[in-house]
Amino acid sequence: MKVHQLHTALRVAALGVALSGLAACASAQSEAVRPAVQQVESKQAGDTPVTPPAPAAPAPNSTVAELQSLIQGRQVSELRTTYNGTYGASLLFKSDDLTYYVALFQQKDFWRVVQTQSDKQAETTYRAFAQQSADLAEVDIKRIKLQAEYARSERILAERSGQLATLQADQSLRRQQEQQVAARQEQARQQAAALSQQQQQLRAELNSMQNQIDALEAQQSELALARENPAPARKQSRK
């Protein structure tokens, strides 16, 4: 009865214990438990996960301290582990006295540890801790997704900005070219109009000159005929 009361007191005390570091136990952890810690590290929620203040060292007689000591001594085996973001739950077993330890943790820190010799209670507590880790990680997971969506939106915005700048540059160049073409066409039209007017003036001058030439040639022809065929002298009539 006293042992049961002691275990109950230890479990109650464990509920108020703050997060304690797994760094001390990670190096001496069993091969079954060590991958769990490594997986938690490999699945951190983003580059800067939400981390609670540094926890105080667990009380020497707490269940957390007891489990850490057992892990360091490789006296427990990992049966199950669930990860949700930076949170997780583990079910460990001490085979020499058939004792189960159920731990709720964040990153490398034990948050809650429950000790029991009841297989059913251990499984029930583990499932409860696993669900609690999922609930706790929901905000972190949402933040991770939002960060990813924001980063993607930034990349798309940069791409669209570059695309817009290219289109604007193309449009500006096209307008400049259109203006240059329009200016060249206007200049060509003005030159054509001037040349047309000059051509008309030249034609008028050419026609005038041709008329003068024709008149002079006609006069010369008449003079030549007159010299070749002089008119006969008239006879004077007698009275």
Side-chain angles (χ1 to χ4, degrees), residues 66-77:
E66 179 181 346
L67 179 57
Q68 288 181 340
S69 177
L70 293 173
I71 292 175
Q72 291 175 356
R74 299 188 178 183
Q75 298 177 13
V76 290
S77 301

Side-chain angles (χ1 to χ4, degrees), residues 2-237:
K2 291 182 179 181
V3 173
H4 177 72
Q5 292 177 349
L6 177 60
H7 286 171
T8 301
L10 289 175
R11 286 195 296 270
V12 173
L15 296 178
V17 175
L19 297 173
S20 60
L22 283 177
C25 67
S27 60
Q29 203 172 357
S30 65
E31 294 302 325
V33 175
R34 185 172 302 171
V37 176
Q38 293 174 350
Q39 291 181 33
V40 172
E41 292 177 345
S42 65
K43 297 183 179 180
Q44 291 182 356
D47 297 332
T48 55
V50 178
T51 305
N61 295 328
S62 67
T63 310
V64 173
E66 179 181 346
L67 179 57
Q68 288 181 340
S69 177
L70 293 173
I71 292 175
Q72 291 175 356
R74 299 188 178 183
Q75 298 177 13
V76 290
S77 301
E78 180 186 16
L79 300 182
R80 303 179 190 275
T81 296
T82 296
Y83 298 94
N84 288 287
T86 60
Y87 297 90
S90 289
L91 174 61
L92 302 103
F93 182 62
K94 188 169 179 288
S95 58
D96 58 354
D97 58 2
L98 305 180
T99 300
Y100 296 91
Y101 293 86
V102 188
L104 176 66
F105 59 86
Q106 184 199 20
Q107 293 183 345
K108 297 181 179 181
D109 302 323
F110 282 142
W111 193 350
R112 294 179 59 190
V113 176
V114 173
Q115 175 189 14
T116 181
Q117 290 186 329
S118 169
D119 176 81
K120 183 177 180 180
Q121 182 183 0
E123 292 289 346
T124 301
T125 304
Y126 170 75
R127 287 193 294 270
F129 279 7
Q131 181 59 48
Q132 186 175 358
S133 70
D135 295 339
L136 292 169
E138 184 176 355
V139 174
D140 280 348
I141 293 173
K142 183 177 181 180
R143 177 180 56 82
I144 293 171
K145 292 179 179 179
L146 290 175
Q147 283 180 339
E149 292 176 0
Y150 180 78
R152 181 175 179 272
S153 298
E154 282 188 326
R155 291 193 300 269
I156 294 175
L157 179 62
E159 293 174 359
R160 295 294 184 271
S161 178
Q163 184 179 4
L164 177 60
T166 301
L167 292 175
Q168 289 176 339
D170 291 343
Q171 185 182 35
S172 177
L173 179 60
R174 184 173 62 254
R175 287 177 177 175
Q176 291 177 2
Q177 291 174 343
E178 290 175 351
Q179 291 175 356
Q180 292 174 358
V181 170
R184 286 195 295 267
Q185 289 180 343
E186 179 62 24
Q187 184 180 5
R189 282 193 294 269
Q190 293 177 0
Q191 291 176 350
L195 289 172
S196 178
Q197 185 176 2
Q198 292 174 4
Q199 181 71 12
Q200 291 177 359
Q201 292 176 355
L202 288 175
R203 285 179 180 175
E205 292 177 2
L206 180 60
N207 290 334
S208 176
M209 288 181 181
Q210 186 66 43
N211 292 333
Q212 292 177 12
I213 292 171
D214 292 342
L216 290 174
E217 287 179 345
Q219 290 177 3
Q220 290 178 357
S221 297
E222 291 178 357
L223 290 174
L225 289 173
R227 286 194 296 267
E228 292 178 359
N229 301 307
R234 293 181 179 180
K235 293 179 180 182
Q236 295 180 354
S237 62

